[in-house]
């Protein structure tokens, strides 16, 4: 859960999320889930926000059934695949979801 003020404070990051989602041609439910995940777990430092955004977008593609590779999501956001790989499982757990065991 997040506050409305979080959405306002992270408006630029949400715009970046939409740009990355456009590059991946993702539907509205995936975008909405990614925004919710990002805002619910947004890190303090700006340096950590871009990788967190990528992880949120990747988890959203998994949970909404529109799977994309970690590399594709990382490229769309502009981070390394390793950034996504290191964060996505923890993000799922923080959101109360069970990461797949594949």
């Amino acid at each position: 859960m997040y506050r409305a003020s979080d959405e306002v404070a992270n408006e630029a990051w949400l715009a970046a999320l939409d740009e990355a989602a456009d590059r991946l041609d993702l539907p509205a439910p995936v975008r909405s889930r990614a925004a919710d995940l990002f805002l619910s777990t947004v890190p303090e430092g700006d340096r950590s926000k871009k990788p967190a955004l990528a992880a949120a977008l990747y988890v959203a593609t998994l949970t909404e059934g529109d799977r994309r590779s970690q590399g594709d999501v990382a490229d769309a956001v502009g981070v390394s695949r390793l950034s996504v790989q290191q964060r996505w499982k923890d993000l799922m757990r923080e959101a109360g979801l069970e990461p797949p065991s594949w």
Side-chain angles (χ1 to χ4, degrees), residues 10-21 23 50 53 57 76-77:
N10 291 288
E11 194 170 21
W13 291 107
L14 293 174
L17 187 147
D18 274 337
E19 290 171 13
R23 286 186 205 102
K50 200 171 194 179
L53 187 136
L57 196 54
V77 175

Side-chain angles (χ1 to χ4, degrees), residues 35-51:
D36 288 344
L37 288 166
F38 176 72
L39 291 171
S40 296
T41 60
V42 68
E44 292 288 323
D46 279 351
R47 187 169 184 220
S48 298
K49 288 184 181 181
K50 200 171 194 179

